[in-house]
Amino acid sequence: MTWSDAPQLPFGPNPGPGRLITIDGLDGSGKTTLTAALRDHLTAAGVPVLTTRLPTTQMRETSFFRLLRDQGRTDLVDPVAFEVAYMVDRIQHCRTVIAPALRDGRTVITDRYALSSIGTLLLRLPAMRRTVLDSLFSEAWFIDLCRHLIRPDVSFVLWTEPETGAQRLHSRPGEADAGFDPLDYAELQRLLLELAAANHMVPVDSGGSPEEVVAVCLEHLDGSRRPAVQRGRA
């Protein structure tokens, strides 16, 4: 499975003076840890912060999401419908949660964003993987609907060795028996990094200590500040 030309995603403008920071990566790459660490650092510096995640709780509680996550019933869920539902969830979350916070001048940090469907679910459901990834990489509808998502000020894509990701997953409650092929993990991670390179996202090696990872990210945040007059531009 290879794509020679990852698409450029045409995000829409930021509606306010706040900053949008997104963190993508496979499960076990350290997204949740980094989200909390950046929140704590910025809050201590007096920056108003909102943290959130995608897919939303509402999406995770849908019947077909549970069919896939809990039962692996790929025969009952159309892969394209799966990705369309993810996109609807993203767009609605931007409208109702992220955009209002940005207009209020808050910094929003989101655990997963436009690439939120590339995760452990696809590792566990190889029967869906090809169709979903085709949607992300080559389907015109997916690329066009990204216009309804807000352009991040900084996008981080975390990566780590598959063995490290597996160890982190297995340490979580209820995930001790989570199994996946390290080659599959490496393949999905490579595709994420291709998308990152095509969309000016920042790849971050999350294999080091949390302090080291945060330090790298803060350097990019400090360099991303722009005058408010420019922030609404696509």
Side-chain angles (χ1 to χ4, degrees):
M1 188 184 307
T2 59
W3 285 263
S4 58
D5 296 309
Q8 293 186 5
L9 305 179
F11 295 115
N14 185 324
R19 285 199 299 172
L20 175 58
I21 302 166
T22 66
I23 303 171
D24 273 298
L26 299 186
D27 282 14
S29 62
K31 298 182 304 302
T32 302
T33 298
L34 178 60
T35 298
L38 290 178
R39 176 201 62 208
D40 293 347
H41 178 89
L42 294 174
T43 299
V47 177
V49 176
L50 170 69
T51 58
T52 186
R53 72 170 183 169
L54 288 165
T56 64
T57 299
Q58 291 79 7
M59 174 69 180
R60 294 170 190 266
E61 291 178 350
T62 59
S63 59
F64 84 86
F65 192 89
R66 289 177 173 176
L67 280 172
L68 291 175
R69 180 189 59 201
D70 301 333
Q71 302 177 36
R73 293 298 305 271
T74 56
D75 58 314
L76 296 180
V77 177
D78 182 86
V80 175
F82 169 84
E83 187 54 46
V84 170
Y86 258 93
M87 180 58 83
V88 170
D89 188 54
R90 298 177 189 112
I91 293 172
Q92 183 67 8
H93 196 61
C94 277
R95 173 65 64 90
T96 60
V97 175
I98 296 176
L102 294 172
R103 285 194 289 267
D104 287 343
R106 303 171 75 179
T107 291
V108 178
I109 306 174
T110 178
D111 180 340
R112 296 194 191 278
Y113 192 54
L115 311 180
S116 58
S117 54
I118 302 182
T120 302
L121 193 59
L122 291 190
L123 286 170
R124 297 175 179 175
L125 301 172
M128 294 191 67
R129 194 177 304 153
R130 180 73 199 213
T131 301
V132 170
L133 291 177
D134 276 343
S135 295
L136 268 68
F137 272 78
S138 60
E139 295 288 341
W141 69 263
F142 175 86
I143 297 170
D144 187 60
L145 285 177
C146 282
R147 299 177 189 278
H148 299 279
L149 303 179
I150 297 166
R151 181 179 301 281
D153 288 280
V154 183
S155 291
F156 296 114
V157 176
L158 304 187
W159 64 273
T160 190
E161 296 298 327
E163 293 76 13
T164 301
Q167 290 173 0
R168 290 171 175 170
L169 276 177
H170 292 162
S171 67
R172 298 179 183 176
E175 297 278 5
D177 61 346
F180 56 81
D181 186 337
L183 293 178
D184 287 343
Y185 192 100
E187 173 72 357
L188 284 177
Q189 189 162 250
R190 181 184 64 79
L191 297 176
L192 273 172
L193 292 175
E194 285 186 15
L195 281 164
N199 289 278
H200 309 292
M201 301 173 181
V202 181
V204 177
D205 180 355
S206 61
S209 69
E211 294 77 15
E212 291 171 336
V213 177
V214 170
V216 170
C217 293
L218 288 176
E219 291 180 5
H220 289 280
L221 291 186
D222 290 341
S224 73
R225 296 184 183 280
R226 294 177 290 157
V229 69
Q230 293 183 356
R231 189 158 296 148
R233 296 178 182 173

